[in-house]
Amino acid sequence: MTDNRIEVYEERIAALEEKLRAFEGRLAPPPSRRPGTEWAERFGLLAAWILLILILGSFRPDQMFSWNSYAAMFGSNAMIVVLTLGLIIPLTTGDFDLSVASTMALSSMMVAVLNVRMDWSIEGAIFMALAAGVAVGAINALFILWFRIHSLIVTLGTGYFINGVVLWISSSAVISGVSMDLVRVVIMTRFLGIPLAFWYAVLLTAALWYVFQHTALGRRLLFVGRGREVARLSGVNVNRARAGALIASSTIAALAGVLYTGMRGSSDPSSALAFLLPAFAAAFLGSTTLYPGRFNAPGAFVAVYFLSTGIMGLNFLGVPSFVQNLFYGGGLVIAVSISQLIRKRRPMD
């Protein structure tokens, strides 16, 4: 009986060693390639951004080559950058969070309702909005990890539920008159001619870049996304990593809602939902640049403003508004396709 158990254990150990060797093979550096190919993969989107500006500028040079146009664009799209940065965290661990735009809308509306209708201080309203983001992430994690439901289904349902809550607490109406203290520190105060909202997005981008590139936490998140079973066998607490990623995503989405309220000085129960597709398009497009093959904060930052530049140029050309949906939708499909191709060539950085 004892001999049989020893044989079983030896077989299990052999199987684990085989899995680890296979995963180490995936971690091995990719075959050497020509420097030009490496450069094109890492910086191709930046080059495409410059080319896009030059092409659009040939039609509208007075607008496309004006610093004021870009200063306004950088500030007005800062909340999309923040929303995208929140989204890439669960994407890194292999989960989709379709509720981020709804969480953004909930946070925005909570700030307006608490500050305007209930006369809370703006600081207290922001704190409660961020706490709501933490709660949404925890609920998502509970259903995904405890009940083993796919993240797409859970976050889609959570998003629709949150939309109902937003319509309920707002009575389906726009709430304006949010404290000017928030408006001043988000959009009215400028540095180098750009609203502070942009610089908040820059700081968050730098923070996430540091976490993913230079901390053990970031490497564990990448490890989980590449192979959950192997990560678990290696001692990584996979459920904790995934739960933390989902909570971080919703909390950052709530921060995007706070910025959005400060930029508008009001809250609309439905306008934030339009940012879900741009965030996904930027997240996948960003995974094709700077650190190709994986979701990364600097790439997401560049992707947001690459897409925003295209939209801005089309608006200057007087293109109908429906083209914006075509641009973001087509961009998402192309970005996902390129991302998958690069992932096959570069298993792990």
PDB file of all heavy atoms in Angstrom, residues 304-343:
ATOM      1  N   VAL A 304      -4.624  55.932 -26.171  1.00  0.00           N
ATOM      2  CA  VAL A 304      -5.769  56.832 -25.948  1.00  0.00           C
ATOM      3  C   VAL A 304      -5.609  58.104 -26.763  1.00  0.00           C
ATOM      4  O   VAL A 304      -6.539  58.547 -27.459  1.00  0.00           O
ATOM      5  CB  VAL A 304      -5.910  57.178 -24.449  1.00  0.00           C
ATOM      6  CG1 VAL A 304      -6.890  58.339 -24.257  1.00  0.00           C
ATOM      7  CG2 VAL A 304      -6.400  55.968 -23.664  1.00  0.00           C
ATOM      8  N   TYR A 305      -4.427  58.682 -26.733  1.00  0.00           N
ATOM      9  CA  TYR A 305      -4.240  59.956 -27.423  1.00  0.00           C
ATOM     10  C   TYR A 305      -4.033  59.782 -28.919  1.00  0.00           C
ATOM     11  O   TYR A 305      -4.298  60.708 -29.695  1.00  0.00           O
ATOM     12  CB  TYR A 305      -3.103  60.736 -26.774  1.00  0.00           C
ATOM     13  CG  TYR A 305      -3.536  61.287 -25.435  1.00  0.00           C
ATOM     14  CD1 TYR A 305      -2.957  60.853 -24.251  1.00  0.00           C
ATOM     15  CD2 TYR A 305      -4.574  62.209 -25.354  1.00  0.00           C
ATOM     16  CE1 TYR A 305      -3.379  61.344 -23.025  1.00  0.00           C
ATOM     17  CE2 TYR A 305      -5.009  62.702 -24.138  1.00  0.00           C
ATOM     18  CZ  TYR A 305      -4.412  62.267 -22.966  1.00  0.00           C
ATOM     19  OH  TYR A 305      -4.854  62.744 -21.765  1.00  0.00           O
ATOM     20  N   PHE A 306      -3.581  58.612 -29.337  1.00  0.00           N
ATOM     21  CA  PHE A 306      -3.555  58.325 -30.775  1.00  0.00           C
ATOM     22  C   PHE A 306      -4.984  58.312 -31.324  1.00  0.00           C
ATOM     23  O   PHE A 306      -5.281  58.951 -32.342  1.00  0.00           O
ATOM     24  CB  PHE A 306      -2.876  56.985 -31.026  1.00  0.00           C
ATOM     25  CG  PHE A 306      -3.004  56.495 -32.448  1.00  0.00           C
ATOM     26  CD1 PHE A 306      -2.179  56.976 -33.443  1.00  0.00           C
ATOM     27  CD2 PHE A 306      -3.965  55.547 -32.785  1.00  0.00           C
ATOM     28  CE1 PHE A 306      -2.303  56.531 -34.762  1.00  0.00           C
ATOM     29  CE2 PHE A 306      -4.101  55.096 -34.093  1.00  0.00           C
ATOM     30  CZ  PHE A 306      -3.270  55.594 -35.085  1.00  0.00           C
ATOM     31  N   LEU A 307      -5.870  57.585 -30.648  1.00  0.00           N
ATOM     32  CA  LEU A 307      -7.267  57.523 -31.082  1.00  0.00           C
ATOM     33  C   LEU A 307      -7.943  58.890 -30.954  1.00  0.00           C
ATOM     34  O   LEU A 307      -8.717  59.295 -31.832  1.00  0.00           O
ATOM     35  CB  LEU A 307      -8.023  56.484 -30.258  1.00  0.00           C
ATOM     36  CG  LEU A 307      -7.579  55.027 -30.451  1.00  0.00           C
ATOM     37  CD1 LEU A 307      -8.236  54.127 -29.409  1.00  0.00           C
ATOM     38  CD2 LEU A 307      -7.927  54.541 -31.855  1.00  0.00           C
ATOM     39  N   SER A 308      -7.635  59.612 -29.883  1.00  0.00           N
ATOM     40  CA  SER A 308      -8.237  60.929 -29.680  1.00  0.00           C
ATOM     41  C   SER A 308      -7.793  61.915 -30.756  1.00  0.00           C
ATOM     42  O   SER A 308      -8.575  62.773 -31.185  1.00  0.00           O
ATOM     43  CB  SER A 308      -7.863  61.476 -28.295  1.00  0.00           C
ATOM     44  OG  SER A 308      -8.319  60.614 -27.273  1.00  0.00           O
ATOM     45  N   THR A 309      -6.534  61.798 -31.169  1.00  0.00           N
ATOM     46  CA  THR A 309      -6.050  62.662 -32.243  1.00  0.00           C
ATOM     47  C   THR A 309      -6.815  62.409 -33.533  1.00  0.00           C
ATOM     48  O   THR A 309      -7.175  63.342 -34.263  1.00  0.00           O
ATOM     49  CB  THR A 309      -4.542  62.442 -32.478  1.00  0.00           C
ATOM     50  OG1 THR A 309      -3.823  62.740 -31.271  1.00  0.00           O
ATOM     51  CG2 THR A 309      -4.028  63.323 -33.609  1.00  0.00           C
ATOM     52  N   GLY A 310      -7.062  61.127 -33.816  1.00  0.00           N
ATOM     53  CA  GLY A 310      -7.840  60.795 -35.005  1.00  0.00           C
ATOM     54  C   GLY A 310      -9.242  61.374 -34.949  1.00  0.00           C
ATOM     55  O   GLY A 310      -9.739  61.946 -35.935  1.00  0.00           O
ATOM     56  N   ILE A 311      -9.888  61.250 -33.795  1.00  0.00           N
ATOM     57  CA  ILE A 311     -11.242  61.798 -33.638  1.00  0.00           C
ATOM     58  C   ILE A 311     -11.220  63.322 -33.762  1.00  0.00           C
ATOM     59  O   ILE A 311     -12.080  63.929 -34.419  1.00  0.00           O
ATOM     60  CB  ILE A 311     -11.832  61.383 -32.281  1.00  0.00           C
ATOM     61  CG1 ILE A 311     -12.042  59.857 -32.233  1.00  0.00           C
ATOM     62  CG2 ILE A 311     -13.144  62.100 -32.016  1.00  0.00           C
ATOM     63  CD1 ILE A 311     -13.007  59.333 -33.253  1.00  0.00           C
ATOM     64  N   MET A 312     -10.232  63.949 -33.124  1.00  0.00           N
ATOM     65  CA  MET A 312     -10.129  65.408 -33.205  1.00  0.00           C
ATOM     66  C   MET A 312      -9.945  65.866 -34.652  1.00  0.00           C
ATOM     67  O   MET A 312     -10.597  66.818 -35.111  1.00  0.00           O
ATOM     68  CB  MET A 312      -8.959  65.884 -32.346  1.00  0.00           C
ATOM     69  CG  MET A 312      -8.759  67.398 -32.352  1.00  0.00           C
ATOM     70  SD  MET A 312      -7.374  67.942 -31.312  1.00  0.00           S
ATOM     71  CE  MET A 312      -5.972  67.329 -32.269  1.00  0.00           C
ATOM     72  N   GLY A 313      -9.075  65.181 -35.397  1.00  0.00           N
ATOM     73  CA  GLY A 313      -8.850  65.549 -36.784  1.00  0.00           C
ATOM     74  C   GLY A 313     -10.085  65.367 -37.647  1.00  0.00           C
ATOM     75  O   GLY A 313     -10.391  66.205 -38.498  1.00  0.00           O
ATOM     76  N   LEU A 314     -10.821  64.280 -37.406  1.00  0.00           N
ATOM     77  CA  LEU A 314     -12.055  64.055 -38.161  1.00  0.00           C
ATOM     78  C   LEU A 314     -13.090  65.137 -37.854  1.00  0.00           C
ATOM     79  O   LEU A 314     -13.826  65.581 -38.741  1.00  0.00           O
ATOM     80  CB  LEU A 314     -12.618  62.668 -37.835  1.00  0.00           C
ATOM     81  CG  LEU A 314     -11.774  61.473 -38.320  1.00  0.00           C
ATOM     82  CD1 LEU A 314     -12.372  60.165 -37.808  1.00  0.00           C
ATOM     83  CD2 LEU A 314     -11.686  61.447 -39.842  1.00  0.00           C
ATOM     84  N   ASN A 315     -13.136  65.569 -36.583  1.00  0.00           N
ATOM     85  CA  ASN A 315     -14.052  66.655 -36.229  1.00  0.00           C
ATOM     86  C   ASN A 315     -13.663  67.954 -36.934  1.00  0.00           C
ATOM     87  O   ASN A 315     -14.525  68.712 -37.396  1.00  0.00           O
ATOM     88  CB  ASN A 315     -14.058  66.861 -34.706  1.00  0.00           C
ATOM     89  CG  ASN A 315     -14.758  65.740 -33.976  1.00  0.00           C
ATOM     90  OD1 ASN A 315     -15.614  65.054 -34.539  1.00  0.00           O
ATOM     91  ND2 ASN A 315     -14.402  65.539 -32.726  1.00  0.00           N
ATOM     92  N   PHE A 316     -12.363  68.220 -37.013  1.00  0.00           N
ATOM     93  CA  PHE A 316     -11.910  69.424 -37.712  1.00  0.00           C
ATOM     94  C   PHE A 316     -12.282  69.379 -39.198  1.00  0.00           C
ATOM     95  O   PHE A 316     -12.539  70.409 -39.824  1.00  0.00           O
ATOM     96  CB  PHE A 316     -10.397  69.584 -37.574  1.00  0.00           C
ATOM     97  CG  PHE A 316      -9.939  69.982 -36.205  1.00  0.00           C
ATOM     98  CD1 PHE A 316      -8.637  69.725 -35.785  1.00  0.00           C
ATOM     99  CD2 PHE A 316     -10.801  70.632 -35.337  1.00  0.00           C
ATOM    100  CE1 PHE A 316      -8.207  70.114 -34.534  1.00  0.00           C
ATOM    101  CE2 PHE A 316     -10.384  71.022 -34.071  1.00  0.00           C
ATOM    102  CZ  PHE A 316      -9.082  70.752 -33.660  1.00  0.00           C
ATOM    103  N   LEU A 317     -12.302  68.160 -39.757  1.00  0.00           N
ATOM    104  CA  LEU A 317     -12.653  68.001 -41.171  1.00  0.00           C
ATOM    105  C   LEU A 317     -14.160  68.032 -41.397  1.00  0.00           C
ATOM    106  O   LEU A 317     -14.608  67.972 -42.546  1.00  0.00           O
ATOM    107  CB  LEU A 317     -12.078  66.688 -41.708  1.00  0.00           C
ATOM    108  CG  LEU A 317     -10.548  66.604 -41.779  1.00  0.00           C
ATOM    109  CD1 LEU A 317     -10.114  65.208 -42.194  1.00  0.00           C
ATOM    110  CD2 LEU A 317     -10.002  67.643 -42.744  1.00  0.00           C
ATOM    111  N   GLY A 318     -14.926  68.096 -40.326  1.00  0.00           N
ATOM    112  CA  GLY A 318     -16.377  68.155 -40.450  1.00  0.00           C
ATOM    113  C   GLY A 318     -17.016  66.823 -40.768  1.00  0.00           C
ATOM    114  O   GLY A 318     -18.127  66.779 -41.327  1.00  0.00           O
ATOM    115  N   VAL A 319     -16.344  65.721 -40.410  1.00  0.00           N
ATOM    116  CA  VAL A 319     -16.891  64.398 -40.678  1.00  0.00           C
ATOM    117  C   VAL A 319     -18.082  64.153 -39.754  1.00  0.00           C
ATOM    118  O   VAL A 319     -18.056  64.552 -38.586  1.00  0.00           O
ATOM    119  CB  VAL A 319     -15.801  63.322 -40.462  1.00  0.00           C
ATOM    120  CG1 VAL A 319     -16.371  61.919 -40.594  1.00  0.00           C
ATOM    121  CG2 VAL A 319     -14.680  63.525 -41.472  1.00  0.00           C
ATOM    122  N   PRO A 320     -19.155  63.489 -40.219  1.00  0.00           N
ATOM    123  CA  PRO A 320     -20.325  63.218 -39.370  1.00  0.00           C
ATOM    124  C   PRO A 320     -19.942  62.458 -38.104  1.00  0.00           C
ATOM    125  O   PRO A 320     -18.978  61.682 -38.075  1.00  0.00           O
ATOM    126  CB  PRO A 320     -21.229  62.370 -40.273  1.00  0.00           C
ATOM    127  CG  PRO A 320     -20.837  62.746 -41.661  1.00  0.00           C
ATOM    128  CD  PRO A 320     -19.374  63.039 -41.612  1.00  0.00           C
ATOM    129  N   SER A 321     -20.707  62.665 -37.055  1.00  0.00           N
ATOM    130  CA  SER A 321     -20.381  62.109 -35.738  1.00  0.00           C
ATOM    131  C   SER A 321     -20.394  60.589 -35.707  1.00  0.00           C
ATOM    132  O   SER A 321     -19.701  59.977 -34.880  1.00  0.00           O
ATOM    133  CB  SER A 321     -21.364  62.653 -34.694  1.00  0.00           C
ATOM    134  OG  SER A 321     -22.696  62.309 -35.047  1.00  0.00           O
ATOM    135  N   PHE A 322     -21.164  59.944 -36.582  1.00  0.00           N
ATOM    136  CA  PHE A 322     -21.222  58.479 -36.537  1.00  0.00           C
ATOM    137  C   PHE A 322     -19.879  57.852 -36.909  1.00  0.00           C
ATOM    138  O   PHE A 322     -19.618  56.690 -36.578  1.00  0.00           O
ATOM    139  CB  PHE A 322     -22.313  57.953 -37.477  1.00  0.00           C
ATOM    140  CG  PHE A 322     -22.026  58.117 -38.947  1.00  0.00           C
ATOM    141  CD1 PHE A 322     -21.227  57.210 -39.637  1.00  0.00           C
ATOM    142  CD2 PHE A 322     -22.563  59.191 -39.654  1.00  0.00           C
ATOM    143  CE1 PHE A 322     -20.968  57.364 -40.989  1.00  0.00           C
ATOM    144  CE2 PHE A 322     -22.300  59.350 -41.010  1.00  0.00           C
ATOM    145  CZ  PHE A 322     -21.504  58.436 -41.674  1.00  0.00           C
ATOM    146  N   VAL A 323     -19.018  58.621 -37.591  1.00  0.00           N
ATOM    147  CA  VAL A 323     -17.704  58.098 -37.962  1.00  0.00           C
ATOM    148  C   VAL A 323     -16.874  57.795 -36.711  1.00  0.00           C
ATOM    149  O   VAL A 323     -15.999  56.935 -36.721  1.00  0.00           O
ATOM    150  CB  VAL A 323     -16.972  59.080 -38.882  1.00  0.00           C
ATOM    151  CG1 VAL A 323     -15.564  58.600 -39.196  1.00  0.00           C
ATOM    152  CG2 VAL A 323     -17.759  59.270 -40.169  1.00  0.00           C
ATOM    153  N   GLN A 324     -17.164  58.495 -35.608  1.00  0.00           N
ATOM    154  CA  GLN A 324     -16.442  58.234 -34.364  1.00  0.00           C
ATOM    155  C   GLN A 324     -16.648  56.794 -33.908  1.00  0.00           C
ATOM    156  O   GLN A 324     -15.702  56.125 -33.491  1.00  0.00           O
ATOM    157  CB  GLN A 324     -16.908  59.205 -33.284  1.00  0.00           C
ATOM    158  CG  GLN A 324     -16.228  59.008 -31.940  1.00  0.00           C
ATOM    159  CD  GLN A 324     -16.555  60.123 -30.974  1.00  0.00           C
ATOM    160  OE1 GLN A 324     -16.830  61.251 -31.369  1.00  0.00           O
ATOM    161  NE2 GLN A 324     -16.524  59.812 -29.688  1.00  0.00           N
ATOM    162  N   ASN A 325     -17.883  56.311 -34.013  1.00  0.00           N
ATOM    163  CA  ASN A 325     -18.148  54.918 -33.648  1.00  0.00           C
ATOM    164  C   ASN A 325     -17.426  53.957 -34.584  1.00  0.00           C
ATOM    165  O   ASN A 325     -16.904  52.922 -34.147  1.00  0.00           O
ATOM    166  CB  ASN A 325     -19.653  54.639 -33.677  1.00  0.00           C
ATOM    167  CG  ASN A 325     -20.397  55.370 -32.585  1.00  0.00           C
ATOM    168  OD1 ASN A 325     -19.815  55.728 -31.566  1.00  0.00           O
ATOM    169  ND2 ASN A 325     -21.684  55.601 -32.779  1.00  0.00           N
ATOM    170  N   LEU A 326     -17.418  54.299 -35.883  1.00  0.00           N
ATOM    171  CA  LEU A 326     -16.700  53.464 -36.844  1.00  0.00           C
ATOM    172  C   LEU A 326     -15.214  53.432 -36.514  1.00  0.00           C
ATOM    173  O   LEU A 326     -14.561  52.379 -36.592  1.00  0.00           O
ATOM    174  CB  LEU A 326     -16.912  53.995 -38.262  1.00  0.00           C
ATOM    175  CG  LEU A 326     -18.353  54.049 -38.788  1.00  0.00           C
ATOM    176  CD1 LEU A 326     -18.374  54.648 -40.187  1.00  0.00           C
ATOM    177  CD2 LEU A 326     -18.973  52.655 -38.804  1.00  0.00           C
ATOM    178  N   PHE A 327     -14.679  54.569 -36.117  1.00  0.00           N
ATOM    179  CA  PHE A 327     -13.249  54.684 -35.821  1.00  0.00           C
ATOM    180  C   PHE A 327     -12.881  53.844 -34.608  1.00  0.00           C
ATOM    181  O   PHE A 327     -11.915  53.071 -34.639  1.00  0.00           O
ATOM    182  CB  PHE A 327     -12.909  56.158 -35.582  1.00  0.00           C
ATOM    183  CG  PHE A 327     -11.434  56.447 -35.521  1.00  0.00           C
ATOM    184  CD1 PHE A 327     -10.697  56.581 -36.682  1.00  0.00           C
ATOM    185  CD2 PHE A 327     -10.795  56.591 -34.305  1.00  0.00           C
ATOM    186  CE1 PHE A 327      -9.330  56.861 -36.628  1.00  0.00           C
ATOM    187  CE2 PHE A 327      -9.438  56.862 -34.241  1.00  0.00           C
ATOM    188  CZ  PHE A 327      -8.703  57.004 -35.409  1.00  0.00           C
ATOM    189  N   TYR A 328     -13.652  53.988 -33.524  1.00  0.00           N
ATOM    190  CA  TYR A 328     -13.350  53.228 -32.311  1.00  0.00           C
ATOM    191  C   TYR A 328     -13.629  51.740 -32.497  1.00  0.00           C
ATOM    192  O   TYR A 328     -12.862  50.891 -32.043  1.00  0.00           O
ATOM    193  CB  TYR A 328     -14.168  53.761 -31.133  1.00  0.00           C
ATOM    194  CG  TYR A 328     -13.578  54.983 -30.483  1.00  0.00           C
ATOM    195  CD1 TYR A 328     -14.344  56.140 -30.286  1.00  0.00           C
ATOM    196  CD2 TYR A 328     -12.252  54.998 -30.060  1.00  0.00           C
ATOM    197  CE1 TYR A 328     -13.802  57.264 -29.685  1.00  0.00           C
ATOM    198  CE2 TYR A 328     -11.704  56.128 -29.461  1.00  0.00           C
ATOM    199  CZ  TYR A 328     -12.487  57.249 -29.275  1.00  0.00           C
ATOM    200  OH  TYR A 328     -11.947  58.366 -28.675  1.00  0.00           O
ATOM    201  N   GLY A 329     -14.741  51.414 -33.156  1.00  0.00           N
ATOM    202  CA  GLY A 329     -15.062  50.002 -33.375  1.00  0.00           C
ATOM    203  C   GLY A 329     -14.038  49.314 -34.250  1.00  0.00           C
ATOM    204  O   GLY A 329     -13.555  48.215 -33.926  1.00  0.00           O
ATOM    205  N   GLY A 330     -13.688  49.954 -35.357  1.00  0.00           N
ATOM    206  CA  GLY A 330     -12.660  49.392 -36.230  1.00  0.00           C
ATOM    207  C   GLY A 330     -11.313  49.324 -35.533  1.00  0.00           C
ATOM    208  O   GLY A 330     -10.570  48.348 -35.696  1.00  0.00           O
ATOM    209  N   GLY A 331     -11.014  50.355 -34.743  1.00  0.00           N
ATOM    210  CA  GLY A 331      -9.753  50.355 -34.001  1.00  0.00           C
ATOM    211  C   GLY A 331      -9.665  49.209 -33.016  1.00  0.00           C
ATOM    212  O   GLY A 331      -8.605  48.603 -32.843  1.00  0.00           O
ATOM    213  N   LEU A 332     -10.791  48.891 -32.363  1.00  0.00           N
ATOM    214  CA  LEU A 332     -10.796  47.776 -31.402  1.00  0.00           C
ATOM    215  C   LEU A 332     -10.518  46.455 -32.101  1.00  0.00           C
ATOM    216  O   LEU A 332      -9.694  45.654 -31.648  1.00  0.00           O
ATOM    217  CB  LEU A 332     -12.136  47.727 -30.674  1.00  0.00           C
ATOM    218  CG  LEU A 332     -12.327  46.556 -29.700  1.00  0.00           C
ATOM    219  CD1 LEU A 332     -11.254  46.572 -28.623  1.00  0.00           C
ATOM    220  CD2 LEU A 332     -13.714  46.606 -29.073  1.00  0.00           C
ATOM    221  N   VAL A 333     -11.210  46.202 -33.218  1.00  0.00           N
ATOM    222  CA  VAL A 333     -11.026  44.938 -33.937  1.00  0.00           C
ATOM    223  C   VAL A 333      -9.589  44.804 -34.435  1.00  0.00           C
ATOM    224  O   VAL A 333      -8.947  43.746 -34.280  1.00  0.00           O
ATOM    225  CB  VAL A 333     -12.017  44.843 -35.111  1.00  0.00           C
ATOM    226  CG1 VAL A 333     -11.723  43.608 -35.951  1.00  0.00           C
ATOM    227  CG2 VAL A 333     -13.448  44.793 -34.600  1.00  0.00           C
ATOM    228  N   ILE A 334      -9.059  45.866 -35.030  1.00  0.00           N
ATOM    229  CA  ILE A 334      -7.691  45.823 -35.542  1.00  0.00           C
ATOM    230  C   ILE A 334      -6.691  45.656 -34.403  1.00  0.00           C
ATOM    231  O   ILE A 334      -5.736  44.871 -34.496  1.00  0.00           O
ATOM    232  CB  ILE A 334      -7.387  47.094 -36.352  1.00  0.00           C
ATOM    233  CG1 ILE A 334      -8.258  47.134 -37.610  1.00  0.00           C
ATOM    234  CG2 ILE A 334      -5.907  47.162 -36.721  1.00  0.00           C
ATOM    235  CD1 ILE A 334      -8.169  48.438 -38.369  1.00  0.00           C
ATOM    236  N   ALA A 335      -6.927  46.371 -33.280  1.00  0.00           N
ATOM    237  CA  ALA A 335      -6.004  46.289 -32.150  1.00  0.00           C
ATOM    238  C   ALA A 335      -5.971  44.883 -31.562  1.00  0.00           C
ATOM    239  O   ALA A 335      -4.900  44.358 -31.234  1.00  0.00           O
ATOM    240  CB  ALA A 335      -6.410  47.301 -31.078  1.00  0.00           C
ATOM    241  N   VAL A 336      -7.149  44.265 -31.403  1.00  0.00           N
ATOM    242  CA  VAL A 336      -7.189  42.908 -30.863  1.00  0.00           C
ATOM    243  C   VAL A 336      -6.476  41.939 -31.798  1.00  0.00           C
ATOM    244  O   VAL A 336      -5.730  41.054 -31.356  1.00  0.00           O
ATOM    245  CB  VAL A 336      -8.650  42.462 -30.630  1.00  0.00           C
ATOM    246  CG1 VAL A 336      -8.707  40.987 -30.250  1.00  0.00           C
ATOM    247  CG2 VAL A 336      -9.300  43.300 -29.537  1.00  0.00           C
ATOM    248  N   SER A 337      -6.683  42.100 -33.089  1.00  0.00           N
ATOM    249  CA  SER A 337      -6.031  41.214 -34.066  1.00  0.00           C
ATOM    250  C   SER A 337      -4.512  41.334 -33.995  1.00  0.00           C
ATOM    251  O   SER A 337      -3.796  40.326 -33.942  1.00  0.00           O
ATOM    252  CB  SER A 337      -6.517  41.547 -35.479  1.00  0.00           C
ATOM    253  OG  SER A 337      -7.921  41.413 -35.585  1.00  0.00           O
ATOM    254  N   ILE A 338      -4.017  42.571 -33.971  1.00  0.00           N
ATOM    255  CA  ILE A 338      -2.567  42.780 -33.893  1.00  0.00           C
ATOM    256  C   ILE A 338      -2.021  42.261 -32.573  1.00  0.00           C
ATOM    257  O   ILE A 338      -0.955  41.636 -32.517  1.00  0.00           O
ATOM    258  CB  ILE A 338      -2.228  44.270 -34.073  1.00  0.00           C
ATOM    259  CG1 ILE A 338      -2.649  44.761 -35.462  1.00  0.00           C
ATOM    260  CG2 ILE A 338      -0.740  44.523 -33.857  1.00  0.00           C
ATOM    261  CD1 ILE A 338      -2.471  46.245 -35.671  1.00  0.00           C
ATOM    262  N   SER A 339      -2.775  42.507 -31.483  1.00  0.00           N
ATOM    263  CA  SER A 339      -2.340  42.043 -30.170  1.00  0.00           C
ATOM    264  C   SER A 339      -2.183  40.527 -30.139  1.00  0.00           C
ATOM    265  O   SER A 339      -1.209  39.993 -29.599  1.00  0.00           O
ATOM    266  CB  SER A 339      -3.348  42.497 -29.106  1.00  0.00           C
ATOM    267  OG  SER A 339      -3.031  41.961 -27.850  1.00  0.00           O
ATOM    268  N   GLN A 340      -3.132  39.822 -30.734  1.00  0.00           N
ATOM    269  CA  GLN A 340      -3.063  38.361 -30.740  1.00  0.00           C
ATOM    270  C   GLN A 340      -1.882  37.864 -31.571  1.00  0.00           C
ATOM    271  O   GLN A 340      -1.201  36.901 -31.200  1.00  0.00           O
ATOM    272  CB  GLN A 340      -4.371  37.776 -31.280  1.00  0.00           C
ATOM    273  CG  GLN A 340      -5.568  37.972 -30.373  1.00  0.00           C
ATOM    274  CD  GLN A 340      -5.341  37.376 -28.989  1.00  0.00           C
ATOM    275  OE1 GLN A 340      -4.903  36.243 -28.850  1.00  0.00           O
ATOM    276  NE2 GLN A 340      -5.639  38.148 -27.962  1.00  0.00           N
ATOM    277  N   LEU A 341      -1.618  38.524 -32.685  1.00  0.00           N
ATOM    278  CA  LEU A 341      -0.482  38.132 -33.512  1.00  0.00           C
ATOM    279  C   LEU A 341       0.833  38.326 -32.765  1.00  0.00           C
ATOM    280  O   LEU A 341       1.728  37.475 -32.795  1.00  0.00           O
ATOM    281  CB  LEU A 341      -0.469  38.945 -34.812  1.00  0.00           C
ATOM    282  CG  LEU A 341      -1.576  38.627 -35.827  1.00  0.00           C
ATOM    283  CD1 LEU A 341      -1.517  39.606 -36.986  1.00  0.00           C
ATOM    284  CD2 LEU A 341      -1.446  37.191 -36.337  1.00  0.00           C
ATOM    285  N   ILE A 342       0.949  39.452 -32.064  1.00  0.00           N
ATOM    286  CA  ILE A 342       2.180  39.723 -31.325  1.00  0.00           C
ATOM    287  C   ILE A 342       2.334  38.758 -30.160  1.00  0.00           C
ATOM    288  O   ILE A 342       3.437  38.285 -29.856  1.00  0.00           O
ATOM    289  CB  ILE A 342       2.199  41.189 -30.830  1.00  0.00           C
ATOM    290  CG1 ILE A 342       2.314  42.133 -32.029  1.00  0.00           C
ATOM    291  CG2 ILE A 342       3.342  41.412 -29.860  1.00  0.00           C
ATOM    292  CD1 ILE A 342       2.278  43.590 -31.666  1.00  0.00           C
ATOM    293  N   ARG A 343       1.228  38.427 -29.485  1.00  0.00           N
ATOM    294  CA  ARG A 343       1.293  37.496 -28.359  1.00  0.00           C
ATOM    295  C   ARG A 343       1.799  36.129 -28.803  1.00  0.00           C
ATOM    296  O   ARG A 343       2.503  35.433 -28.071  1.00  0.00           O
ATOM    297  CB  ARG A 343      -0.071  37.345 -27.696  1.00  0.00           C
ATOM    298  CG  ARG A 343      -0.439  38.505 -26.773  1.00  0.00           C
ATOM    299  CD  ARG A 343      -1.887  38.427 -26.338  1.00  0.00           C
ATOM    300  NE  ARG A 343      -2.195  39.500 -25.426  1.00  0.00           N
ATOM    301  CZ  ARG A 343      -2.152  39.397 -24.098  1.00  0.00           C
ATOM    302  NH1 ARG A 343      -1.784  38.259 -23.552  1.00  0.00           N
ATOM    303  NH2 ARG A 343      -2.437  40.411 -23.336  1.00  0.00           N
TER     304      ARG A 343
END
